[in-house]
Every structure is written in C-alpha cells, then in structure tokens.
Coordinates of all heavy atoms in Angstrom, one line a residue:
M16 N -7.7 -12.7 20.7 CA -8.2 -11.9 21.8 C -8.6 -12.8 23.0 O -9.0 -14.0 22.7 CB -9.5 -11.2 21.4 CG -10.1 -10.6 22.5 SD -11.5 -9.5 22.3 CE -11.0 -8.4 21.0
L17 N -8.4 -12.4 24.1 CA -8.7 -13.2 25.2 C -10.1 -13.3 25.6 O -10.9 -12.5 25.2 CB -8.0 -12.6 26.5 CG -6.4 -12.6 26.5 CD1 -5.9 -11.7 27.6 CD2 -5.8 -13.9 26.4
S18 N -10.6 -14.3 26.2 CA -12.0 -14.5 26.7 C -12.5 -13.4 27.5 O -11.7 -12.8 28.3 CB -12.2 -15.8 27.3 OG -11.5 -15.8 28.5
G19 N -13.6 -13.0 27.2 CA -14.3 -11.8 28.0 C -14.0 -10.5 27.5 O -14.4 -9.5 28.0
G20 N -13.2 -10.4 26.4 CA -12.8 -9.1 25.8 C -13.8 -8.7 24.7 O -14.7 -9.4 24.2
R21 N -13.7 -7.5 24.2 CA -14.5 -7.1 23.2 C -13.7 -6.0 22.3 O -12.7 -5.4 22.7 CB -15.9 -6.4 23.6 CG -15.7 -5.2 24.4 CD -17.0 -4.6 24.8 NE -17.2 -3.3 24.0 CZ -18.4 -2.9 23.6 NH1 -19.4 -3.4 24.0 NH2 -18.4 -1.8 22.9
R22 N -14.1 -5.9 21.1 CA -13.4 -5.0 20.2 C -14.4 -3.9 19.8 O -15.5 -4.1 19.6 CB -13.1 -5.6 18.8 CG -11.9 -6.6 19.0 CD -11.4 -7.0 17.6 NE -10.2 -7.8 17.9 CZ -9.2 -7.8 17.3 NH1 -9.0 -6.9 16.3 NH2 -8.1 -8.7 17.5
T23 N -13.8 -2.7 19.7 CA -14.5 -1.5 19.3 C -13.7 -0.8 18.1 O -12.5 -0.6 18.4 CB -14.7 -0.5 20.5 OG1 -15.3 -1.2 21.5 CG2 -15.6 0.7 20.1
S24 N -14.3 -0.4 17.1 CA -13.5 0.1 16.0 C -14.1 1.5 15.6 O -15.3 1.8 15.8 CB -13.6 -0.8 14.7 OG -13.0 -2.0 15.0
E25 N -13.2 2.2 15.0 CA -13.5 3.5 14.5 C -12.9 3.6 13.2 O -12.1 2.6 12.8 CB -13.0 4.7 15.4 CG -14.0 5.1 16.4 CD -15.4 5.6 15.9 OE1 -15.3 6.3 14.9 OE2 -16.4 5.3 16.5
Q26 N -12.7 4.6 12.4 CA -12.2 4.7 11.1 C -10.8 4.3 11.0 O -10.5 3.4 10.1 CB -12.3 6.2 10.7 CG -11.9 6.4 9.2 CD -12.1 7.8 8.8 OE1 -12.5 8.6 9.5 NE2 -11.9 8.0 7.5
W27 N -9.8 4.7 11.8 CA -8.5 4.3 11.7 C -8.0 3.5 12.9 O -6.8 3.0 12.8 CB -7.6 5.5 11.6 CG -7.9 6.2 10.2 CD1 -7.7 5.9 8.9 CD2 -8.3 7.6 10.2 NE1 -8.0 6.8 8.1 CE2 -8.4 8.0 8.8 CE3 -8.7 8.6 11.1 CZ2 -8.9 9.2 8.5 CZ3 -9.1 9.9 10.7 CH2 -9.1 10.1 9.3
L28 N -8.8 3.2 13.8 CA -8.2 2.6 15.1 C -9.3 1.6 15.6 O -10.5 1.6 15.3 CB -8.1 3.7 16.2 CG -7.2 4.8 15.8 CD1 -7.4 5.9 16.9 CD2 -5.8 4.4 15.8
T29 N -8.7 0.5 16.1 CA -9.5 -0.5 16.8 C -9.0 -0.7 18.3 O -7.8 -0.7 18.5 CB -9.4 -1.9 16.1 OG1 -9.8 -1.7 14.8 CG2 -10.0 -3.0 16.8
A30 N -9.9 -0.8 19.2 CA -9.6 -1.0 20.5 C -10.1 -2.4 21.0 O -11.3 -2.7 20.9 CB -10.2 0.1 21.5
A31 N -9.1 -3.1 21.5 CA -9.5 -4.4 22.2 C -9.5 -4.1 23.6 O -8.5 -3.6 24.2 CB -8.5 -5.5 21.8
S32 N -10.7 -4.4 24.3 CA -10.6 -4.2 25.8 C -11.2 -5.3 26.5 O -11.9 -6.2 26.0 CB -11.6 -2.9 26.0 OG -12.9 -3.2 25.5
R33 N -10.8 -5.4 27.8 CA -11.2 -6.5 28.7 C -11.2 -5.9 30.2 O -10.4 -5.0 30.5 CB -10.2 -7.5 28.6 CG -10.5 -8.7 29.5 CD -9.5 -9.7 29.3 NE -9.5 -10.7 30.4 CZ -8.9 -11.7 30.5 NH1 -8.2 -12.2 29.5 NH2 -8.9 -12.5 31.5
A34 N -12.1 -6.2 30.9 CA -12.3 -5.7 32.3 C -10.9 -6.1 33.1 O -10.4 -7.2 32.8 CB -13.5 -6.3 33.0
N35 N -10.5 -5.2 33.9 CA -9.4 -5.5 34.9 C -9.9 -5.5 36.3 O -11.1 -5.1 36.6 CB -8.2 -4.6 34.5 CG -8.4 -3.2 35.0 OD1 -9.2 -2.9 35.9 ND2 -7.7 -2.3 34.2
T36 N -9.0 -5.9 37.2 CA -9.4 -5.9 38.7 C -9.0 -4.7 39.4 O -9.1 -4.5 40.6 CB -8.8 -7.1 39.3 OG1 -7.3 -7.1 39.1 CG2 -9.3 -8.4 38.7
L37 N -8.4 -3.7 38.6 CA -7.9 -2.4 39.2 C -9.1 -1.5 39.3 O -10.2 -1.8 38.8 CB -6.8 -1.8 38.4 CG -5.7 -2.8 38.2 CD1 -4.6 -2.2 37.2 CD2 -4.9 -3.1 39.5
E38 N -8.9 -0.3 39.8 CA -10.0 0.8 39.8 C -9.8 1.7 38.7 O -10.4 2.8 38.7 CB -9.9 1.4 41.2 CG -10.3 0.4 42.3 CD -10.3 1.2 43.7 OE1 -10.2 2.4 43.7 OE2 -10.4 0.5 44.7
H39 N -8.9 1.5 37.7 CA -8.7 2.5 36.7 C -8.4 1.7 35.4 O -8.1 0.5 35.4 CB -7.6 3.4 37.0 CG -6.3 2.7 37.2 ND1 -6.0 2.2 38.4 CD2 -5.3 2.4 36.4 CE1 -4.7 1.6 38.4 NE2 -4.3 1.7 37.2
A40 N -8.6 2.5 34.3 CA -8.2 2.0 33.0 C -6.7 1.9 32.7 O -6.0 2.9 33.2 CB -9.0 2.8 31.9
R41 N -6.2 1.0 31.9 CA -4.9 0.9 31.4 C -4.9 0.9 29.9 O -5.8 0.4 29.3 CB -4.1 -0.3 31.9 CG -4.0 -0.3 33.5 CD -3.2 -1.3 33.9 NE -3.7 -2.7 33.8 CZ -3.1 -3.8 34.1 NH1 -2.0 -3.8 34.8 NH2 -3.7 -5.0 33.8
L42 N -3.8 1.4 29.4 CA -3.7 1.6 27.8 C -2.4 0.9 27.4 O -1.4 1.1 27.9 CB -3.6 3.1 27.5 CG -3.5 3.5 26.0 CD1 -4.7 2.9 25.2 CD2 -3.3 4.9 25.8
G43 N -2.5 0.1 26.3 CA -1.4 -0.4 25.6 C -1.6 -0.1 24.2 O -2.6 0.1 23.6
L44 N -0.5 0.2 23.5 CA -0.5 0.6 22.0 C 0.1 -0.4 21.1 O 1.3 -0.9 21.5 CB 0.2 2.0 21.9 CG -0.5 3.1 22.7 CD1 0.5 4.4 22.6 CD2 -1.8 3.4 22.1
A45 N -0.4 -0.7 20.0 CA 0.1 -1.5 19.0 C -0.1 -0.8 17.7 O -1.0 -1.1 17.0 CB -0.6 -2.9 19.0
I46 N 0.9 0.0 17.4 CA 0.9 0.8 16.2 C 2.0 0.2 15.3 O 3.1 0.6 15.4 CB 1.2 2.3 16.4 CG1 0.3 2.9 17.6 CG2 1.0 3.2 15.2 CD1 -1.2 2.8 17.4
S47 N 1.6 -0.6 14.4 CA 2.5 -1.4 13.6 C 3.1 -0.6 12.4 O 2.4 0.3 11.9 CB 2.0 -2.7 13.1 OG 1.0 -2.4 12.1
A48 N 4.4 -1.0 12.0 CA 4.9 -0.3 10.8 C 4.2 -0.7 9.6 O 4.2 0.0 8.6 CB 6.4 -0.6 10.7
R49 N 3.5 -1.8 9.6 CA 2.7 -2.2 8.4 C 1.5 -1.4 8.2 O 1.2 -1.0 7.1 CB 2.4 -3.7 8.5 CG 1.4 -4.1 7.3 CD 1.1 -5.6 7.3 NE 2.3 -6.3 7.0 CZ 2.4 -7.6 7.0 NH1 1.3 -8.4 7.4 NH2 3.4 -8.3 6.6
A50 N 0.9 -1.0 9.2 CA -0.3 -0.2 9.1 C 0.0 1.2 8.9 O -0.7 2.0 8.3 CB -1.2 -0.3 10.5
V51 N 1.2 1.8 9.7 CA 1.5 3.1 9.6 C 3.0 3.1 9.3 O 3.9 3.0 10.1 CB 1.3 3.8 10.9 CG1 1.7 5.3 10.7 CG2 -0.2 3.8 11.3
P52 N 3.4 3.2 7.9 CA 4.8 3.0 7.6 C 5.9 4.1 8.1 O 7.0 3.6 8.4 CB 4.8 3.1 6.0 CG 3.4 2.8 5.7 CD 2.6 3.2 6.9
R53 N 5.5 5.3 8.2 CA 6.4 6.3 8.7 C 6.5 6.4 10.1 O 5.5 6.6 10.8 CB 6.0 7.7 8.1 CG 6.2 7.8 6.6 CD 5.8 9.0 6.0 NE 5.4 10.0 6.9 CZ 5.6 11.3 6.8 NH1 6.3 11.8 5.7 NH2 5.0 12.3 7.6
A54 N 7.7 6.4 10.7 CA 7.9 6.5 12.1 C 7.3 7.8 12.7 O 6.8 7.7 13.8 CB 9.3 6.3 12.5
V55 N 7.4 8.7 12.0 CA 7.0 10.1 12.6 C 5.4 10.0 12.7 O 4.9 10.6 13.7 CB 7.3 11.2 11.7 CG1 6.7 11.2 10.3 CG2 7.1 12.6 12.3
D56 N 4.8 9.4 11.9 CA 3.3 9.2 11.9 C 3.0 8.3 13.1 O 1.9 8.5 13.9 CB 2.7 8.7 10.7 CG 2.8 9.7 9.6 OD1 2.8 11.0 9.8 OD2 2.9 9.3 8.3
R57 N 3.6 7.2 13.2 CA 3.4 6.3 14.4 C 3.6 7.0 15.8 O 2.7 6.9 16.6 CB 4.3 5.1 14.3 CG 4.0 4.1 13.2 CD 4.8 2.8 13.4 NE 6.2 2.8 13.5 CZ 7.1 2.9 12.5 NH1 6.5 2.8 11.2 NH2 8.3 3.0 12.6
N58 N 4.6 7.7 15.8 CA 4.8 8.5 17.1 C 3.8 9.6 17.3 O 3.4 9.8 18.6 CB 6.2 9.1 17.1 CG 7.3 8.0 17.1 OD1 7.1 7.0 17.7 ND2 8.4 8.2 16.5
R59 N 3.4 10.2 16.3 CA 2.3 11.3 16.4 C 1.0 10.6 17.0 O 0.4 11.1 17.9 CB 2.0 12.0 15.1 CG 1.0 13.0 15.2 CD 0.9 13.8 13.9 NE 0.8 12.9 12.7 CZ -0.3 12.3 12.2 NH1 -1.5 12.6 12.9 NH2 -0.3 11.5 11.2
I60 N 0.7 9.4 16.4 CA -0.5 8.7 16.8 C -0.3 8.3 18.2 O -1.3 8.5 19.1 CB -0.8 7.5 16.0 CG1 -1.2 8.0 14.5 CG2 -1.8 6.6 16.5 CD1 -1.2 6.8 13.4
K61 N 0.8 7.8 18.6 CA 1.0 7.4 20.0 C 0.9 8.6 20.9 O 0.2 8.5 22.1 CB 2.3 6.7 20.3 CG 2.4 5.4 19.5 CD 3.5 4.6 19.9 CE 4.6 4.8 18.8 NZ 5.8 3.8 19.0
R62 N 1.5 9.7 20.7 CA 1.4 10.9 21.5 C 0.0 11.3 21.7 O -0.5 11.7 22.9 CB 2.2 12.1 20.9 CG 3.7 12.0 21.2 CD 4.4 13.3 20.9 NE 4.0 13.9 19.6 CZ 4.7 13.5 18.5 NH1 5.7 12.7 18.5 NH2 4.3 14.0 17.4
Q63 N -0.8 11.5 20.6 CA -2.1 12.0 20.6 C -3.0 10.9 21.4 O -3.8 11.3 22.2 CB -2.7 12.2 19.2 CG -2.1 13.3 18.7 CD -3.1 14.2 17.9 OE1 -4.1 13.7 17.5 NE2 -2.7 15.4 17.6
T64 N -2.8 9.7 21.3 CA -3.5 8.7 22.0 C -3.3 8.7 23.4 O -4.2 8.8 24.2 CB -3.3 7.2 21.5 OG1 -3.5 7.2 20.0 CG2 -4.0 6.2 22.2
R65 N -2.0 8.8 23.9 CA -1.7 8.9 25.3 C -2.4 10.2 25.9 O -2.8 10.1 27.0 CB -0.2 9.0 25.4 CG 0.5 7.6 25.2 CD 2.0 7.7 25.6 NE 2.6 6.5 25.2 CZ 3.5 6.5 24.1 NH1 3.9 7.6 23.6 NH2 4.1 5.3 23.8
E66 N -2.2 11.4 25.2 CA -2.8 12.5 25.7 C -4.3 12.5 25.9 O -4.9 12.9 26.9 CB -2.5 13.7 24.8 CG -2.9 15.1 25.3 CD -2.4 15.5 26.6 OE1 -1.4 14.9 27.2 OE2 -3.0 16.5 27.3
T67 N -5.0 12.1 24.9 CA -6.5 11.9 25.0 C -6.8 10.9 26.1 O -7.9 11.1 26.7 CB -7.2 11.7 23.6 OG1 -6.7 10.4 23.2 CG2 -7.0 12.7 22.6
F68 N -6.2 9.8 26.2 CA -6.5 8.8 27.2 C -6.2 9.5 28.6 O -7.0 9.3 29.5 CB -5.5 7.6 27.0 CG -5.7 6.6 28.1 CD1 -6.8 5.7 28.1 CD2 -4.8 6.5 29.1 CE1 -6.9 4.8 29.1 CE2 -5.0 5.5 30.1 CZ -6.1 4.6 30.1
R69 N -5.2 10.2 28.8 CA -4.9 10.9 30.0 C -6.1 11.8 30.4 O -6.4 11.8 31.5 CB -3.6 11.6 29.9 CG -3.2 12.2 31.3 CD -1.9 13.2 31.1 NE -2.2 14.4 30.3 CZ -2.9 15.5 30.7 NH1 -3.2 15.5 32.0 NH2 -3.1 16.5 30.0
L70 N -6.5 12.4 29.5 CA -7.6 13.3 29.8 C -9.0 12.7 30.0 O -9.8 13.2 30.8 CB -7.9 14.4 28.7 CG -6.7 15.3 28.5 CD1 -6.9 16.1 27.1 CD2 -6.6 16.3 29.5
R71 N -9.2 11.4 29.5 CA -10.5 10.8 29.7 C -10.4 9.5 30.7 O -11.4 9.0 30.9 CB -10.8 10.2 28.3 CG -11.0 11.2 27.2 CD -12.2 12.1 27.4 NE -13.4 11.4 27.3 CZ -14.2 11.4 26.4 NH1 -13.9 12.0 25.2 NH2 -15.4 10.7 26.3
R72 N -9.2 9.2 31.2 CA -9.0 8.1 31.9 C -10.0 7.9 33.1 O -10.5 6.8 33.5 CB -7.6 8.0 32.5 CG -7.2 6.8 33.2 CD -5.8 6.9 33.6 NE -5.3 5.6 34.2 CZ -4.1 5.4 34.5 NH1 -3.2 6.2 34.4 NH2 -3.8 4.2 35.1
E73 N -10.3 9.1 33.9 CA -11.1 8.9 35.1 C -12.6 8.6 34.7 O -13.3 8.2 35.5 CB -11.0 10.2 35.9 CG -9.6 10.3 36.4 CD -9.5 11.4 37.5 OE1 -10.5 12.0 37.9 OE2 -8.3 11.6 37.9
R74 N -12.9 8.8 33.5 CA -14.4 8.7 33.0 C -14.5 7.3 32.4 O -15.6 6.9 32.0 CB -14.8 9.7 32.1 CG -15.0 11.1 32.7 CD -15.4 12.1 31.8 NE -14.2 12.6 31.1 CZ -14.2 13.6 30.2 NH1 -15.2 14.1 29.7 NH2 -13.0 14.0 29.8
L75 N -13.4 6.5 32.2 CA -13.5 5.2 31.6 C -13.6 4.1 32.7 O -13.1 4.3 33.9 CB -12.3 4.9 30.9 CG -12.1 5.8 29.6 CD1 -10.6 5.5 29.0 CD2 -13.1 5.4 28.5
P76 N -14.3 3.1 32.5 CA -14.4 2.0 33.4 C -13.1 1.3 33.6 O -12.2 1.6 32.8 CB -15.5 1.1 32.7 CG -15.5 1.3 31.4 CD -15.1 2.8 31.2
A77 N -12.9 0.4 34.6 CA -11.7 -0.3 34.8 C -11.5 -1.3 33.7 O -12.1 -2.5 33.7 CB -11.7 -1.1 36.1
L78 N -10.8 -1.0 32.6 CA -10.6 -1.8 31.5 C -9.0 -1.8 31.2 O -8.4 -0.8 31.4 CB -11.3 -1.2 30.2 CG -12.8 -1.1 30.2 CD1 -13.2 -0.4 29.0 CD2 -13.3 -2.6 30.2
D79 N -8.6 -2.9 30.6 CA -7.3 -2.9 30.0 C -7.7 -2.7 28.5 O -8.4 -3.5 27.9 CB -6.6 -4.3 30.1 CG -6.1 -4.5 31.5 OD1 -5.9 -3.4 32.2 OD2 -6.0 -5.6 32.0
I80 N -7.0 -1.7 27.8 CA -7.4 -1.4 26.5 C -6.0 -1.5 25.7 O -5.0 -0.9 26.1 CB -7.8 0.1 26.4 CG1 -9.0 0.2 27.2 CG2 -8.1 0.5 25.0 CD1 -9.5 1.7 27.6
V81 N -6.0 -2.1 24.6 CA -5.0 -2.2 23.5 C -5.5 -1.5 22.3 O -6.6 -2.0 21.7 CB -4.6 -3.6 23.3 CG1 -3.5 -3.6 22.3 CG2 -4.1 -4.2 24.6
L82 N -4.9 -0.4 22.0 CA -5.3 0.3 20.8 C -4.4 -0.1 19.6 O -3.1 -0.1 19.6 CB -5.2 1.8 21.0 CG -5.8 2.6 20.0 CD1 -7.3 2.7 20.3 CD2 -5.2 4.0 20.0
L83 N -5.1 -0.5 18.5 CA -4.4 -1.0 17.4 C -4.6 0.0 16.1 O -5.9 0.4 15.9 CB -4.8 -2.3 16.9 CG -4.7 -3.4 18.0 CD1 -6.2 -4.0 18.3 CD2 -3.8 -4.5 17.5
A84 N -3.6 0.3 15.4 CA -3.8 1.2 14.2 C -4.2 0.5 13.0 O -3.7 -0.7 12.9 CB -2.5 2.2 14.0
R85 N -5.0 1.0 12.2 CA -5.5 0.4 10.9 C -4.8 1.1 9.8 O -4.3 2.2 9.9 CB -6.9 0.3 10.8 CG -7.6 -0.5 12.0 CD -9.1 -0.4 12.0 NE -9.8 -0.8 10.9 CZ -11.1 -0.6 10.8 NH1 -11.8 0.1 11.7 NH2 -11.7 -1.1 9.8
T86 N -4.7 0.4 8.7 CA -4.2 1.0 7.5 C -4.8 2.4 7.2 O -6.0 2.5 7.2 CB -4.3 0.2 6.3 OG1 -3.7 -1.1 6.5 CG2 -3.6 0.7 5.1
G87 N -4.0 3.4 6.9 CA -4.4 4.7 6.6 C -4.5 5.6 7.9 O -4.6 6.9 7.6
A88 N -4.2 5.2 9.0 CA -4.1 6.0 10.2 C -3.1 7.1 10.1 O -3.3 8.2 10.6 CB -3.9 5.2 11.4
G89 N -2.0 6.8 9.5 CA -0.9 7.8 9.3 C -1.3 9.0 8.5 O -0.7 10.1 8.7
G90 N -2.4 8.8 7.6 CA -2.8 10.0 6.8 C -3.7 10.9 7.5 O -4.0 12.0 7.0
A91 N -4.2 10.6 8.8 CA -5.1 11.4 9.4 C -4.4 12.6 10.0 O -3.3 12.5 10.6 CB -5.7 10.6 10.6
D92 N -5.0 13.9 9.9 CA -4.3 15.0 10.5 C -4.7 14.9 12.1 O -5.5 14.1 12.6 CB -4.6 16.2 9.8 CG -6.2 16.6 9.9 OD1 -6.9 16.2 10.9 OD2 -6.7 17.3 9.1
A93 N -4.2 15.9 12.8 CA -4.3 15.9 14.2 C -5.8 16.0 14.6 O -6.2 15.3 15.6 CB -3.6 17.0 14.9
A94 N -6.5 16.9 14.0 CA -7.9 17.1 14.4 C -8.8 15.9 14.1 O -9.7 15.5 14.9 CB -8.5 18.3 13.7
Q95 N -8.5 15.3 12.9 CA -9.3 14.0 12.6 C -9.0 12.9 13.6 O -9.9 12.2 14.0 CB -8.9 13.6 11.2 CG -9.4 14.4 10.1 CD -8.8 14.0 8.7 OE1 -7.7 13.6 8.6 NE2 -9.6 14.1 7.7
L96 N -7.7 12.7 14.0 CA -7.3 11.7 14.9 C -7.9 12.0 16.3 O -8.4 11.1 16.9 CB -5.8 11.7 15.0 CG -5.1 10.5 15.7 CD1 -5.6 9.2 14.9 CD2 -3.6 10.7 15.6
R97 N -8.0 13.2 16.8 CA -8.6 13.5 18.0 C -10.2 13.2 18.0 O -10.6 12.6 19.0 CB -8.3 15.0 18.4 CG -7.0 15.3 19.1 CD -7.0 16.6 19.7 NE -7.3 17.7 18.8 CZ -6.5 18.3 18.0 NH1 -5.2 18.0 18.1 NH2 -6.8 19.3 17.2
T98 N -10.7 13.5 16.9 CA -12.2 13.3 16.8 C -12.5 11.7 16.9 O -13.3 11.2 17.6 CB -12.7 13.7 15.4 OG1 -12.5 15.1 15.5 CG2 -14.1 13.4 15.2
V99 N -11.6 10.9 16.1 CA -11.8 9.5 16.1 C -11.4 8.9 17.6 O -12.1 8.0 18.0 CB -10.8 8.9 15.1 CG1 -10.8 7.3 15.4 CG2 -11.3 9.1 13.7
L100 N -10.5 9.4 18.2 CA -10.1 9.0 19.5 C -11.2 9.3 20.6 O -11.6 8.5 21.4 CB -8.7 9.6 20.1 CG -7.5 8.9 19.4 CD1 -6.3 9.8 19.6 CD2 -7.2 7.5 19.9
T101 N -11.8 10.5 20.4 CA -12.8 10.9 21.4 C -14.0 10.0 21.2 O -14.6 9.5 22.2 CB -13.2 12.5 21.1 OG1 -12.2 13.2 21.2 CG2 -14.4 12.8 21.9
R102 N -14.4 9.6 20.0 CA -15.5 8.7 19.7 C -15.2 7.3 20.3 O -16.1 6.7 20.9 CB -15.8 8.6 18.1 CG -16.5 9.8 17.6 CD -17.2 9.5 16.3 NE -16.3 8.8 15.4 CZ -15.8 9.5 14.3 NH1 -16.0 10.7 14.0 NH2 -15.0 8.8 13.4
L103 N -13.9 6.9 20.1 CA -13.5 5.5 20.6 C -13.6 5.5 22.1 O -14.2 4.5 22.8 CB -12.1 5.3 20.2 CG -11.6 3.9 20.3 CD1 -12.5 3.0 19.5 CD2 -10.2 3.8 19.8
W104 N -13.0 6.6 22.8 CA -13.3 6.7 24.3 C -14.7 6.7 24.8 O -15.0 6.1 25.7 CB -12.4 7.8 24.9 CG -11.0 7.9 24.6 CD1 -10.2 8.9 24.2 CD2 -10.1 6.8 24.6 NE1 -8.9 8.6 23.9 CE2 -8.8 7.3 24.2 CE3 -10.1 5.4 24.8 CZ2 -7.7 6.5 24.1 CZ3 -8.9 4.7 24.7 CH2 -7.8 5.2 24.3
D105 N -15.5 7.4 24.0 CA -17.0 7.5 24.4 C -17.5 6.1 24.2 O -18.4 5.7 25.1 CB -17.6 8.5 23.5 CG -17.3 9.9 23.8 OD1 -16.7 10.2 24.8 OD2 -17.6 10.8 22.9
K106 N -17.3 5.4 23.3 CA -17.8 4.0 23.0 C -17.4 3.1 24.2 O -18.1 2.3 24.8 CB -17.3 3.4 21.8 CG -18.1 3.9 20.6 CD -17.6 3.1 19.3 CE -18.2 3.5 18.1 NZ -17.8 2.9 16.9
L107 N -16.0 3.2 24.5 CA -15.5 2.4 25.8 C -16.2 2.8 27.0 O -16.3 1.9 27.9 CB -14.0 2.5 25.7 CG -13.4 1.7 24.6 CD1 -11.8 2.1 24.6 CD2 -13.4 0.2 24.7
G108 N -16.4 4.1 27.2 CA -17.0 4.5 28.4 C -18.4 4.2 28.6 O -18.9 3.9 29.7
A109 N -19.1 4.0 27.5 CA -20.5 3.6 27.5 C -20.8 2.1 27.6 O -21.8 1.6 28.0 CB -21.3 4.2 26.3
A110 N -19.7 1.4 27.2 CA -19.9 0.0 27.3 C -19.7 -0.6 28.7 O -19.0 -0.2 29.5 CB -18.7 -0.7 26.4
P111 N -20.7 -1.5 29.0 CA -20.7 -2.1 30.3 C -19.4 -3.0 30.5 O -19.1 -3.7 29.6 CB -21.9 -3.0 30.5 CG -22.2 -3.3 29.0 CD -21.7 -2.1 28.2
A112 N -18.7 -2.8 31.6 CA -17.5 -3.6 31.9 C -17.9 -5.0 32.2 O -18.4 -5.2 33.3 CB -16.6 -2.9 33.0
A113 N -17.5 -6.0 31.5 CA -17.9 -7.4 31.8 C -16.7 -8.0 32.6 O -15.5 -7.7 32.4 CB -17.9 -8.3 30.5
R114 N -17.1 -8.6 33.8 CA -16.1 -9.2 34.6 C -16.2 -10.7 34.6 O -17.1 -11.3 34.6 CB -16.2 -8.7 36.0 CG -15.9 -7.3 36.0 CD -15.4 -6.9 37.4 NE -15.1 -5.5 37.2 CZ -14.0 -4.9 37.7 NH1 -13.2 -5.5 38.4 NH2 -13.9 -3.7 37.7

C-alpha cells in the first residue's frame, strides 16, 4: 500500500483508499480468480460494485479506492453483496480524507 493510504474491510471485501487531488472519488477493482474462482461471480461482483459506487460517488470524499475481493465473495447473493458494499461506502464516507 502506498503511504498515506488506509484499508477498510467488510465481510467479503477490502477497500484500500488514499486521498486524491481531484474533486471526486475514483474506483479501481481487483477481483482475483484466486479469491473468486468463477468468472460469472467475478463479473457480478464488479457490476454490483460499479453500480453502488455510481449511486454513492457524490457523497464520498475525494479518494482513490481500490476494492479487493476476499475468499468467499463469490458465494454472496446480490442482497448480501449490496449490504456489504453499502457498509463499505459508509465507512469510506465517514473517514476523514488524509492529504
């Protein structure tokens, strides 16, 4: 992790974040085949993550966020994944952006 960054974890996902110089948050995804073996599950996680991020982006501080999937994330259904993502975005929104 780069200096000045922080990690925030939830049940199946971890977010590494760092303040950026822009006026909005940016998202990167690292959903590995080791953590989520089936491609259909990796793609579902990415779709849901992008959609929830799009809906919450304006309420997030100016951060660069890299979302990493943890083992077992592929087994989460859509509702569980949305709940975990919502909690993750809430944690990132409440965290002070270090510059």
Side-chain angles (χ1 to χ4, degrees):
M16 175 173 310
L17 298 173
S18 64
R21 64 178 253 152
R22 282 187 185 232
T23 305
S24 293
E25 276 296 326
Q26 187 173 3
W27 297 296
L28 303 169
T29 298
S32 62
R33 180 178 163 173
N35 68 32
T36 58
L37 305 173
E38 294 182 11
H39 61 275
R41 295 188 297 182
L42 177 67
L44 298 171
I46 314 297
S47 72
R49 177 177 279 177
V51 184
R53 292 179 0 143
V55 66
D56 293 331
R57 287 194 303 274
N58 291 332
R59 180 175 50 86
I60 292 167
K61 288 190 265 188
R62 272 194 314 274
Q63 291 219 338
T64 301
R65 286 185 192 113
E66 180 62 13
T67 59
F68 178 76
R69 183 186 68 79
L70 295 171
R71 302 292 294 264
R72 185 177 188 177
E73 295 193 10
R74 289 179 274 180
L75 292 171
L78 295 171
D79 288 335
I80 303 164
V81 177
L82 194 79
L83 304 122
R85 296 165 68 187
T86 303
D92 65 25
Q95 291 172 322
L96 197 55
R97 275 193 306 273
T98 300
V99 168
L100 285 163
T101 299
R102 284 197 312 254
L103 197 61
W104 301 139
D105 287 344
K106 283 182 180 180
L107 289 169
R114 290 209 182 223

